[in-house]
Amino acid sequence: MIKVGIIGSTGYAGQELVRLLLSHKEAEIVWYGSQSYIGKRYYEVFGNMFEIVTDFCKGEKIEELTEKAEVIFTATPQGFCSSVLSEKILSRTKVIDLSADFRIKDAKVYESWYHLEHKSKELIKEAVYGLCEVNRNQIKNARLVANPGCYPTCSFLTIYPLAKEGLIDMNSIIIDAKSGASGAGRGAKVANLYCEVNENIKAYGVTTHRHTPEIEEQLTIASGVTTKINFTPHLVPMNRGILITAYANLKQTGITEDKIRKMYKDYYEKEPFIRVLDASKTPETRWVEGSNMVDINIAVDERTNRVVMMGAMDNLVKGAAGQAVQNMNLMFGIKETEGLLMAPLFP
Amino acid sequence: MIKVGIIGSTGYAGQELVRLLLSHKEAEIVWYGSQSYIGKRYYEVFGNMFEIVTDFCKGEKIEELTEKAEVIFTATPQGFCSSVLSEKILSRTKVIDLSADFRIKDAKVYESWYHLEHKSKELIKEAVYGLCEVNRNQIKNARLVANPGCYPTCSFLTIYPLAKEGLIDMNSIIIDAKSGASGAGRGAKVANLYCEVNENIKAYGVTTHRHTPEIEEQLTIASGVTTKINFTPHLVPMNRGILITAYANLKQTGITEDKIRKMYKDYYEKEPFIRVLDASKTPETRWVEGSNMVDINIAVDERTNRVVMMGAMDNLVKGAAGQAVQNMNLMFGIKETEGLLMAPLFP
Amino acid sequence: MIKVGIIGSTGYAGQELVRLLLSHKEAEIVWYGSQSYIGKRYYEVFGNMFEIVTDFCKGEKIEELTEKAEVIFTATPQGFCSSVLSEKILSRTKVIDLSADFRIKDAKVYESWYHLEHKSKELIKEAVYGLCEVNRNQIKNARLVANPGCYPTCSFLTIYPLAKEGLIDMNSIIIDAKSGASGAGRGAKVANLYCEVNENIKAYGVTTHRHTPEIEEQLTIASGVTTKINFTPHLVPMNRGILITAYANLKQTGITEDKIRKMYKDYYEKEPFIRVLDASKTPETRWVEGSNMVDINIAVDERTNRVVMMGAMDNLVKGAAGQAVQNMNLMFGIKETEGLLMAPLFP
Amino acid sequence: MIKVGIIGSTGYAGQELVRLLLSHKEAEIVWYGSQSYIGKRYYEVFGNMFEIVTDFCKGEKIEELTEKAEVIFTATPQGFCSSVLSEKILSRTKVIDLSADFRIKDAKVYESWYHLEHKSKELIKEAVYGLCEVNRNQIKNARLVANPGCYPTCSFLTIYPLAKEGLIDMNSIIIDAKSGASGAGRGAKVANLYCEVNENIKAYGVTTHRHTPEIEEQLTIASGVTTKINFTPHLVPMNRGILITAYANLKQTGITEDKIRKMYKDYYEKEPFIRVLDASKTPETRWVEGSNMVDINIAVDERTNRVVMMGAMDNLVKGAAGQAVQNMNLMFGIKETEGLLMAPLFP
């Protein structure tokens, strides 16, 4: 059994990690870290865990944790992981960081979008961007994995085949994203109250959202073309789910929708968590809820010669905790799908 | 592997059965029955099952099914199962009926509340009421199990210890129940449209709901006192979940809340799916979603000498498909919890 | 034009007062009080008021306010109004208090349920309980009106005719109440976050909710019988609306449902804001949203000789701001319905 | 009082017309048309209207209606109005058609997108496109007004100033639209059930939605440039509201966001129902609910030289019934804002 420590286990992503790891056959949680709830039983914070998890929440003493855990998940605010991580820690335990700290290779880009000084620049290079479908082999050997952001995961997987094949104008990409409210975290803010989110939709972080450079970096790597995108996230009144609707100009005319869909199916044929839908079906967040699936489809608008790329995913699973477990599985050489094969929950 | 046939697999309860059985280690589904979608792939009806279930929907030919399945689940409208069931079928396969047809022992009571003629009266006696926590031993040997209704399951388990111990006036019981919209089924009716259910709460079936006699029969058996209740269900704008708030007069004064809670904890100590909460916690449907759990607590109002009994459950799991699987496990002598130990999904 | 000052204008009830008064033909708001947002434009707090209300939020200087306003609404936490009110203020302006401070005649009862010392006990006697349908004449002459609580308003109006006529056992009354999330206020608490309230229903304040003694006092006055009730509120995932489902034993047998409904229709025949529904219809919060209406109906369960009394109302309108405006209209001798005749908003 | 007949009064848009006209000081409804509910009281179809509207629903006899009404609203499926309308009818009464029948000037375009034969081609030319902010003068003299579609209204008003000024590349426009479920109508379909819409977001009608040519035609007229757009609508789990997020390439570099916002404010300065927000605020549907307002803002992404244009509106008010009333006001020479000045309802 892999001994797992979680720092930040009382946020929504942390709790989802707990849920997933509880049914994982080769892992056990040995540390429920939470700065806010030290000394409370975990089930007092999340009632679903009553009689299931009886452990107490402990603080975020990462050094102590390296003696108990073989892998540490940090599901913490930006800046935490990079401020505590060190070569010493990595020499003892593997780390999967669910924050943005090690996702962006250029520390200056990180600092300018996150308005934070990066405290472990020397470790950035080593960190592997944990998008399993793309970096599977590097992940297997990594000590430090930067678990991708929710929007970047869904955006990238939705656009990847067309970007990789060079079929779209990379600087025409517009990503219009929609997320459920769990993406905003469990902090007590007026803007996240039930009556403020319910019966409403709004864009936020327009032109300034911090997932923008992460998506751009990955698309640049995939396509070989320096890419700048427009990225606009929206808050949707639902608990879970991300839907990406991305637009790009096709470089040539005459590429049919069927051909592109076939290409997507080929690209993702062996991927256990990616489903390329059939013609006329559009991805819907309800069909992936609670699962590690990403549903993808494309449509070609012949009138404008643009392709519409759509992807749906559960932001807490493939967009956070599920992908983190998938990374752990790869890093420990066990079956990549272990603990992640539950069917989506509907309705 | 137990070969399972499902008649009515394309309703919400049927689909939940599919979801649960997919992760059951000792069962496999061999027949996806659906009168409405014959010839369609199952995943065309429920997109979550894309690339997971590739079978076609077949009709409801129960005779043919007895040759293929060791157990048949009927998740069908009232009157269906009783109109097709026979000794011959039962001699070949076990049947777990999720409808109300075999729940009530007195056919006249059934007929007067359901406004239907019962077509298999001779089989009623044999049918075992599939409330596992109460009838575990009979279920193990049953050929025909009447899977309890959603409201009755939650109502009964919430009231049971006090009824059994004779501590409450059985004819003072008032059950105020609240259910999510999946309880109304997947039929296309104006009353169930999003805009009609959303931002609304209403009572329905006041004094006439068909689960009333089922609850009364079970409470009468448990207490030994002929019981008449008031039962008022309400429709709540959420997908899943039932909450029961039940009220009764305590026969004596001076029984403390702590003492009753202790009694509940003792009653349900060994039950894998019942959680009696600690003082000051109230059951909430969010904490049981997607799981087979029932959360229960009580409060005593010393001013009125009444006890308030509360229970929360997922109507599609413990209230339908989960309990059906639990019954199957008992009937086939496998671990009662097989396929049912997933932690609740939150948020 | 009546000059109106609002203290606590940036809570949900305060904002609803603003909305209603904006379309009131004989009132104008001269003071937008808000401790939390002093110096902000009102529309910065509530975006719906952009280009409609351009005033700044001011502090809660009630003395200064008496020079500018003819009536002051206090939509503030419990304890505020009673700590600032004085004979001097009342000699200058009328006050309508939306908090609980002056609702309960016995200060000891107030203090024991609210865990607060009452700072203006000498004014309690003068305060008129502002339930317009019952105390219309006293309200007309009042200087200080205690605007009823949301649950008490709906509970009382739903039970009143049967209580007044002496047809029910007053000590058998059980009130099971359900409210939308705006009733919990706009404070930033984890428990009120979207993901915590959505897809959930729970009871809260079981046996201890502070509206209990207020309901009991009014029912006692109406019936002439000292009344103790069970009152259990529930939080429902919707923005607005309260539904009351109340139960009581009929003192006699043989009183038909039709006869009781007829009595209700007679009682409320001239009331502009109370609608007694026809047989077989149940009150639903969606049908009263945004309006000052209370929808009521009853059902008799002949099997148990109990009556089920149901009422639906918008908690922010008739349960708070609408009733406050109705009180103001009465106090200033203008048409009682002024500003309150908009049809409910659906869907 | 203007005598008003409504054909299709029992859909969501029809009912909203009723709600708005009830508080209109110079109009009265004389005919509640509804093919589905002939002979029923209007309040039996919409319980909010109990004791408010006591009329019976009548059929859709448009000829008879011309004798009773001075203006007829047709809130009917596509193809109805064009199949019954005639010169004779228009010579007697004004008609405001809420369907798409007379919105598109080229009948062939209409027929190819709507897959319907147009039965009154001779009347298309006369019809005025009822976007009040743009065609105010023609509307004043019109006999037949084609009330704009919900998506086109919000899309056009959001893009109009930039299109009119020639500052954006008209063939780079991408419109990503989001709508609440009332936009899907009140028909009983599985896809519109509560459990199917709740906790979900999806795109639909990708590249094929019928509002596309309507938007293109209006943008072409405004800009003088033949315009083809990408238009992708999404279904959001909420009752009301449309949010438009539109993207376009700026033709020049160096135009600041502030300058464009200033231009929008100038364009719409005198418009009573358009609010151009201040910097850093994004339109949200909650701030316009129940009102005739359109909230608009823009953001410039200097990195990509694109402008993001955002607009929020209540689809049933400014997107249907409210705009229809606004058109009626113009056609009858009364105050344009009559019946439409209520503040938005929040929460």
Side-chain angles (χ1 to χ4, degrees):
Chain A
M1 297 295 271
I2 306 163
K3 291 186 177 0
V4 175
I6 303 174
I7 299 186
S9 69
T10 53
Y12 289 137
Q15 188 262 156
E16 187 71 353
L17 259 177
V18 172
R19 182 180 76 92
L20 294 174
L21 290 170
L22 285 172
S23 62
H24 193 288
K25 286 194 210 94
E26 309 197 31
E28 66 177 321
I29 304 171
V30 299
W31 186 284
Y32 291 81
S34 169
Q35 209 55 45
S36 316
Y37 296 99
I38 294 176
K40 290 245 178 194
R41 299 262 194 193
Y42 192 73
Y43 67 71
E44 292 182 82
V45 187
F46 291 106
N48 53 333
M49 297 303 174
F50 185 59
E51 294 189 359
I52 297 175
V53 178
T54 54
D55 300 59
F56 289 92
C57 295
K58 298 176 194 168
E60 293 162 350
K61 301 167 195 163
I62 196 163
E63 297 249 351
E64 184 180 339
L65 194 36
T66 60
E67 292 163 23
K68 312 200 179 209
E70 293 158 81
V71 60
I72 298 170
F73 292 94
T74 48
T76 43
Q78 324 305 335
F80 175 85
C81 188
S82 52
S83 70
V84 300
L85 204 59
S86 65
E87 170 58 32
K88 188 176 149 199
I89 289 167
L90 284 181
S91 69
R92 291 180 181 175
T93 64
K94 296 176 193 290
V95 171
I96 300 172
D97 177 25
L98 281 78
S99 86
D101 285 6
F102 295 98
R103 294 179 193 155
I104 294 171
K105 289 296 167 196
D106 185 335
K108 280 183 196 155
V109 171
Y110 172 89
E111 292 180 339
S112 77
W113 285 82
Y114 284 88
H115 311 297
L116 282 173
E117 187 193 347
H118 199 293
K119 300 280 182 57
S120 307
K121 292 194 182 70
E122 71 287 357
L123 297 172
I124 295 177
K125 202 181 167 192
E126 173 177 355
V128 175
Y129 189 73
L131 198 58
C132 311
E133 287 74 10
V134 177
N135 298 327
R136 189 165 277 129
N137 288 330
Q138 299 96 297
I139 294 164
K140 285 178 182 170
N141 302 309
R143 297 192 304 174
L144 171 58
V145 162
N147 208 56
C150 52
Y151 289 126
T153 296
C154 199
S155 297
F156 181 82
L157 292 170
T158 299
I159 300 171
Y160 178 53
L162 278 161
K164 182 81 177 173
E165 293 296 313
L167 293 171
I168 50 176
D169 174 356
M170 293 305 293
N171 282 299
S172 71
I173 296 173
I174 286 166
I175 299 175
D176 192 283
K178 297 92 180 168
S179 174
S182 60
R186 214 188 190 200
K189 294 176 191 166
V190 168
N192 295 339
L193 292 178
Y194 183 81
C195 291
E196 309 292 317
V197 173
N198 190 37
E199 296 297 293
N200 188 41
I201 182 166
K202 67 171 176 183
Y204 65 98
V206 184
T207 78
T208 62
H209 194 277
R210 305 189 292 188
H211 283 171
T212 309
E214 183 180 340
I215 301 170
E216 289 178 345
E217 185 170 299
Q218 294 304 317
L219 287 176
T220 297
I221 294 168
S223 65
V225 176
T226 304
T227 301
K228 296 274 178 230
I229 61 166
N230 267 84
F231 174 68
T232 312
H234 298 77
L235 181 61
V236 177
M238 59 185 192
N239 284 347
R240 287 168 177 249
I242 278 183
L243 183 72
I244 296 295
T245 315
Y247 305 85
N249 298 334
L250 287 165
K251 280 168 148 179
Q252 303 163 269
T253 55
I255 309 176
T256 65
E257 188 173 301
D258 285 351
K259 203 167 159 184
I260 298 175
R261 186 175 297 107
K262 173 73 167 49
M263 183 187 76
Y264 269 69
K265 292 208 179 232
D266 290 346
Y267 254 75
Y268 290 130
E269 192 177 15
K270 292 183 185 161
E271 288 302 335
F273 299 120
I274 300 190
R275 305 189 292 195
V276 179
L277 304 184
D278 295 333
S280 89
K281 299 279 183 189
T282 55
E284 309 191 27
T285 61
R286 62 175 164 156
W287 298 134
V288 295
E289 189 180 333
S291 84
N292 205 45
M293 294 293 184
V294 186
D295 281 4
I296 296 175
N297 210 345
I298 53 94
V300 169
D301 191 337
E302 294 177 6
R303 301 173 343 115
T304 59
N305 205 39
R306 271 191 211 107
V307 62
V308 186
M309 298 157 278
M310 294 163 282
M313 180 191 84
D314 186 322
N315 59 306
L316 292 180
V317 191
K318 183 64 178 173
Q323 183 144 264
V325 170
Q326 194 179 350
N327 276 313
M328 180 191 78
N329 291 345
L330 287 170
M331 292 162 89
F332 284 84
I334 57 181
K335 214 180 148 204
E336 186 175 339
T337 56
E338 174 52 38
L340 297 170
L341 285 179
M342 59 285 178
L345 182 83
F346 172 81
Chain B
M1 297 294 270
I2 306 164
K3 289 183 178 1
V4 174
I6 304 174
I7 299 186
S9 69
T10 53
Y12 289 136
Q15 188 263 155
E16 187 71 353
L17 259 178
V18 171
R19 181 179 78 93
L20 294 173
L21 290 170
L22 285 172
S23 63
H24 193 288
K25 288 196 208 92
E26 309 199 31
E28 67 177 320
I29 304 171
V30 298
W31 186 284
Y32 291 83
S34 170
Q35 209 55 45
S36 316
Y37 296 98
I38 295 177
K40 290 246 178 194
R41 299 263 195 193
Y42 191 72
Y43 67 73
E44 292 183 81
V45 187
F46 291 105
N48 52 335
M49 296 303 174
F50 185 59
E51 294 189 359
I52 297 174
V53 178
T54 53
D55 301 59
F56 289 93
C57 295
K58 297 176 195 169
E60 294 163 349
K61 299 166 196 165
I62 196 163
E63 296 249 350
E64 185 181 338
L65 195 35
T66 59
E67 292 164 23
K68 312 199 178 211
E70 292 159 82
V71 59
I72 298 170
F73 292 94
T74 50
T76 44
Q78 324 305 335
F80 175 85
C81 188
S82 53
S83 71
V84 300
L85 204 59
S86 65
E87 170 58 32
K88 189 174 147 199
I89 289 167
L90 284 180
S91 69
R92 291 179 180 175
T93 64
K94 296 177 192 292
V95 171
I96 300 172
D97 178 25
L98 280 77
S99 85
D101 285 8
F102 295 98
R103 294 179 193 155
I104 294 170
K105 288 298 168 196
D106 185 336
K108 279 183 196 154
V109 171
Y110 172 89
E111 291 178 340
S112 77
W113 286 80
Y114 284 87
H115 311 297
L116 279 173
E117 188 192 346
H118 198 293
K119 300 282 183 54
S120 306
K121 293 193 180 68
E122 71 287 359
L123 297 173
I124 295 176
K125 201 180 168 193
E126 174 175 357
V128 175
Y129 188 72
L131 198 58
C132 311
E133 287 74 11
V134 177
N135 299 326
R136 189 166 275 128
N137 288 330
Q138 299 96 297
I139 294 164
K140 285 178 181 168
N141 303 309
R143 297 192 303 175
L144 171 58
V145 163
N147 208 56
C150 52
Y151 288 127
T153 296
C154 199
S155 298
F156 182 82
L157 292 170
T158 299
I159 300 170
Y160 177 56
L162 278 161
K164 182 81 178 173
E165 293 295 313
L167 293 171
I168 50 176
D169 174 356
M170 294 305 291
N171 284 299
S172 71
I173 297 173
I174 286 166
I175 300 175
D176 192 284
K178 297 90 178 169
S179 174
S182 60
R186 215 187 189 202
K189 294 177 190 164
V190 168
N192 295 339
L193 292 179
Y194 183 82
C195 291
E196 310 291 319
V197 172
N198 190 36
E199 296 297 294
N200 188 41
I201 183 166
K202 67 171 177 184
Y204 65 97
V206 183
T207 78
T208 62
H209 193 278
R210 304 189 293 190
H211 283 170
T212 309
E214 183 181 339
I215 301 169
E216 289 178 345
E217 186 171 297
Q218 294 304 317
L219 288 175
T220 296
I221 294 168
S223 65
V225 177
T226 304
T227 301
K228 296 275 178 231
I229 61 167
N230 266 84
F231 174 68
T232 312
H234 298 76
L235 181 61
V236 177
M238 59 186 191
N239 284 347
R240 288 168 178 249
I242 276 183
L243 183 73
I244 296 297
T245 315
Y247 304 85
N249 297 334
L250 287 164
K251 280 168 147 179
Q252 303 163 269
T253 54
I255 309 176
T256 65
E257 189 174 299
D258 285 349
K259 203 166 161 184
I260 298 176
R261 186 174 297 108
K262 173 72 166 51
M263 182 186 77
Y264 269 68
K265 292 207 180 234
D266 290 345
Y267 254 74
Y268 291 130
E269 193 177 16
K270 293 183 183 163
E271 288 302 335
F273 300 119
I274 299 190
R275 304 189 292 195
V276 179
L277 305 184
D278 294 334
S280 89
K281 299 280 182 189
T282 55
E284 309 191 27
T285 60
R286 63 175 164 156
W287 299 134
V288 295
E289 190 181 333
S291 84
N292 205 46
M293 295 293 184
V294 187
D295 281 4
I296 296 175
N297 210 345
I298 54 92
V300 169
D301 191 338
E302 295 177 5
R303 301 173 342 113
T304 60
N305 205 38
R306 269 189 214 111
V307 61
V308 186
M309 299 156 278
M310 295 162 283
M313 178 192 84
D314 186 321
N315 59 306
L316 293 180
V317 191
K318 184 64 177 174
Q323 182 145 264
V325 170
Q326 194 179 350
N327 277 312
M328 180 191 79
N329 291 344
L330 287 170
M331 292 162 89
F332 283 84
I334 58 182
K335 212 180 150 204
E336 185 174 340
T337 56
E338 174 52 38
L340 298 170
L341 286 179
M342 59 285 176
L345 182 84
F346 171 81
Chain C
M1 297 294 271
I2 306 163
K3 290 186 180 354
V4 175
I6 304 174
I7 298 186
S9 69
T10 53
Y12 289 136
Q15 188 263 156
E16 188 69 355
L17 259 177
V18 172
R19 181 181 77 92
L20 294 174
L21 290 170
L22 284 172
S23 63
H24 192 288
K25 288 196 208 92
E26 309 198 31
E28 66 177 322
I29 305 171
V30 298
W31 186 283
Y32 291 82
S34 170
Q35 209 56 45
S36 317
Y37 296 99
I38 295 177
K40 289 246 178 194
R41 298 261 194 193
Y42 192 71
Y43 67 73
E44 292 183 82
V45 187
F46 292 105
N48 53 334
M49 297 303 176
F50 184 59
E51 294 189 359
I52 297 175
V53 178
T54 53
D55 301 59
F56 289 93
C57 295
K58 298 176 194 168
E60 293 163 350
K61 301 167 195 163
I62 196 164
E63 296 250 350
E64 185 181 338
L65 194 37
T66 59
E67 292 163 23
K68 311 197 179 213
E70 292 159 81
V71 59
I72 298 171
F73 293 93
T74 50
T76 44
Q78 324 305 335
F80 175 85
C81 188
S82 52
S83 70
V84 300
L85 203 60
S86 66
E87 170 58 32
K88 189 175 148 200
I89 288 167
L90 284 181
S91 69
R92 290 178 180 178
T93 64
K94 296 176 191 290
V95 171
I96 300 172
D97 177 25
L98 281 77
S99 86
D101 285 6
F102 294 98
R103 293 179 193 155
I104 294 171
K105 288 298 169 197
D106 185 336
K108 280 183 196 154
V109 172
Y110 172 89
E111 292 179 339
S112 77
W113 286 81
Y114 285 87
H115 310 299
L116 281 174
E117 187 193 347
H118 199 294
K119 300 280 182 55
S120 307
K121 293 194 181 69
E122 70 287 359
L123 297 173
I124 295 176
K125 200 180 170 194
E126 173 176 357
V128 175
Y129 188 73
L131 198 59
C132 310
E133 288 74 11
V134 177
N135 298 328
R136 189 165 276 128
N137 287 331
Q138 299 96 297
I139 295 164
K140 285 178 183 169
N141 302 310
R143 298 191 303 174
L144 170 59
V145 163
N147 208 56
C150 51
Y151 287 127
T153 296
C154 199
S155 298
F156 182 82
L157 293 170
T158 299
I159 299 170
Y160 177 54
L162 278 161
K164 181 83 178 172
E165 292 296 312
L167 293 171
I168 50 176
D169 174 356
M170 293 305 292
N171 283 298
S172 72
I173 296 173
I174 286 166
I175 300 175
D176 192 283
K178 296 92 180 168
S179 174
S182 60
R186 215 189 189 201
K189 293 176 191 166
V190 168
N192 295 339
L193 292 180
Y194 182 82
C195 291
E196 309 292 318
V197 173
N198 190 35
E199 297 297 293
N200 188 41
I201 182 166
K202 67 172 177 184
Y204 65 98
V206 184
T207 77
T208 63
H209 194 279
R210 305 190 291 189
H211 283 170
T212 310
E214 182 180 341
I215 301 170
E216 289 178 345
E217 185 171 298
Q218 295 304 317
L219 288 175
T220 297
I221 295 168
S223 66
V225 177
T226 304
T227 301
K228 297 274 178 232
I229 61 167
N230 266 85
F231 174 69
T232 313
H234 297 77
L235 181 61
V236 178
M238 57 185 194
N239 284 347
R240 288 168 177 249
I242 276 183
L243 183 73
I244 296 297
T245 315
Y247 305 84
N249 297 335
L250 287 165
K251 280 168 147 178
Q252 303 163 268
T253 54
I255 309 176
T256 65
E257 188 175 300
D258 285 350
K259 202 166 161 183
I260 298 175
R261 186 174 297 106
K262 173 72 167 52
M263 182 187 77
Y264 269 68
K265 292 209 179 232
D266 290 346
Y267 254 75
Y268 290 130
E269 192 177 17
K270 292 183 184 162
E271 288 303 334
F273 299 120
I274 299 190
R275 305 189 293 195
V276 179
L277 304 184
D278 295 332
S280 89
K281 299 280 182 189
T282 55
E284 308 191 27
T285 60
R286 62 175 163 155
W287 298 135
V288 295
E289 190 181 333
S291 84
N292 205 44
M293 294 293 184
V294 186
D295 281 4
I296 296 174
N297 209 345
I298 54 91
V300 169
D301 191 337
E302 295 177 6
R303 301 173 343 114
T304 60
N305 205 38
R306 270 192 211 108
V307 61
V308 186
M309 299 156 279
M310 294 162 283
M313 177 191 86
D314 186 322
N315 59 306
L316 292 180
V317 190
K318 183 64 177 173
Q323 182 144 264
V325 170
Q326 194 180 349
N327 276 313
M328 179 191 79
N329 290 344
L330 288 169
M331 292 162 89
F332 283 85
I334 58 182
K335 213 179 150 205
E336 186 174 341
T337 56
E338 174 52 38
L340 297 170
L341 286 179
M342 57 288 176
L345 183 83
F346 172 80
Chain D
M1 297 293 271
I2 305 164
K3 290 183 178 0
V4 175
I6 303 174
I7 299 185
S9 69
T10 53
Y12 288 135
Q15 188 263 155
E16 187 70 354
L17 259 177
V18 171
R19 181 180 78 93
L20 294 174
L21 290 169
L22 285 171
S23 63
H24 193 289
K25 287 194 209 96
E26 309 198 30
E28 66 176 321
I29 303 171
V30 299
W31 186 283
Y32 291 82
S34 169
Q35 208 57 43
S36 316
Y37 295 100
I38 294 177
K40 290 247 178 192
R41 299 262 194 191
Y42 191 72
Y43 67 72
E44 292 183 82
V45 187
F46 291 105
N48 53 334
M49 296 303 174
F50 184 59
E51 295 189 358
I52 297 175
V53 178
T54 54
D55 301 58
F56 289 93
C57 294
K58 298 175 194 169
E60 293 163 349
K61 299 167 195 164
I62 195 164
E63 296 249 350
E64 185 180 338
L65 194 37
T66 59
E67 293 164 21
K68 312 201 178 208
E70 292 158 81
V71 60
I72 298 169
F73 292 93
T74 49
T76 45
Q78 324 305 335
F80 174 85
C81 187
S82 53
S83 71
V84 300
L85 204 60
S86 65
E87 170 58 32
K88 189 173 148 199
I89 289 167
L90 284 181
S91 69
R92 291 181 180 174
T93 64
K94 296 177 192 291
V95 171
I96 299 172
D97 178 25
L98 280 77
S99 85
D101 286 7
F102 295 98
R103 293 177 194 157
I104 294 171
K105 288 297 167 197
D106 185 336
K108 280 181 197 156
V109 172
Y110 172 88
E111 292 180 340
S112 78
W113 286 81
Y114 284 87
H115 310 298
L116 281 173
E117 188 193 345
H118 199 294
K119 298 284 182 54
S120 307
K121 293 194 180 67
E122 71 286 358
L123 297 173
I124 295 177
K125 203 181 165 192
E126 173 176 356
V128 175
Y129 188 72
L131 198 57
C132 312
E133 286 74 12
V134 177
N135 299 325
R136 189 165 276 129
N137 287 330
Q138 299 96 297
I139 294 164
K140 286 179 183 169
N141 302 308
R143 296 190 305 173
L144 170 59
V145 162
N147 208 57
C150 52
Y151 286 127
T153 295
C154 198
S155 298
F156 182 82
L157 293 170
T158 299
I159 300 171
Y160 178 55
L162 278 161
K164 182 82 178 172
E165 293 297 313
L167 293 171
I168 50 175
D169 173 356
M170 294 304 292
N171 282 299
S172 72
I173 297 173
I174 286 166
I175 300 175
D176 193 283
K178 297 91 179 167
S179 174
S182 60
R186 215 187 189 200
K189 293 176 192 166
V190 168
N192 295 339
L193 292 179
Y194 182 81
C195 291
E196 310 291 318
V197 173
N198 191 35
E199 296 298 293
N200 189 40
I201 182 166
K202 66 172 178 184
Y204 65 97
V206 184
T207 77
T208 63
H209 193 278
R210 304 189 293 190
H211 283 170
T212 309
E214 182 180 339
I215 301 169
E216 289 178 345
E217 186 171 299
Q218 294 304 317
L219 287 176
T220 297
I221 294 169
S223 66
V225 177
T226 304
T227 302
K228 297 275 178 230
I229 61 167
N230 266 84
F231 175 69
T232 312
H234 298 76
L235 181 62
V236 178
M238 59 185 192
N239 285 347
R240 288 169 177 248
I242 278 183
L243 184 72
I244 296 296
T245 316
Y247 304 85
N249 297 334
L250 288 164
K251 279 167 147 183
Q252 303 164 268
T253 54
I255 309 176
T256 66
E257 189 174 299
D258 285 350
K259 203 167 161 184
I260 298 176
R261 187 174 296 106
K262 173 73 167 52
M263 182 187 76
Y264 269 69
K265 293 211 178 229
D266 290 345
Y267 254 75
Y268 291 131
E269 193 177 15
K270 293 183 183 162
E271 288 303 334
F273 300 120
I274 300 190
R275 304 190 291 195
V276 179
L277 304 184
D278 294 334
S280 90
K281 299 280 183 189
T282 55
E284 308 192 27
T285 60
R286 62 176 165 154
W287 298 136
V288 295
E289 192 181 331
S291 84
N292 205 45
M293 294 293 183
V294 187
D295 280 4
I296 296 175
N297 210 345
I298 54 92
V300 169
D301 191 336
E302 295 177 5
R303 302 175 341 116
T304 60
N305 205 38
R306 273 192 209 107
V307 61
V308 186
M309 299 157 278
M310 295 162 282
M313 179 191 84
D314 186 322
N315 59 306
L316 293 180
V317 191
K318 184 63 178 174
Q323 183 145 263
V325 170
Q326 195 179 351
N327 276 312
M328 180 191 78
N329 291 344
L330 288 170
M331 292 163 89
F332 284 84
I334 58 182
K335 213 180 148 204
E336 186 174 339
T337 56
E338 173 52 38
L340 298 170
L341 285 179
M342 58 286 177
L345 182 85
F346 172 80

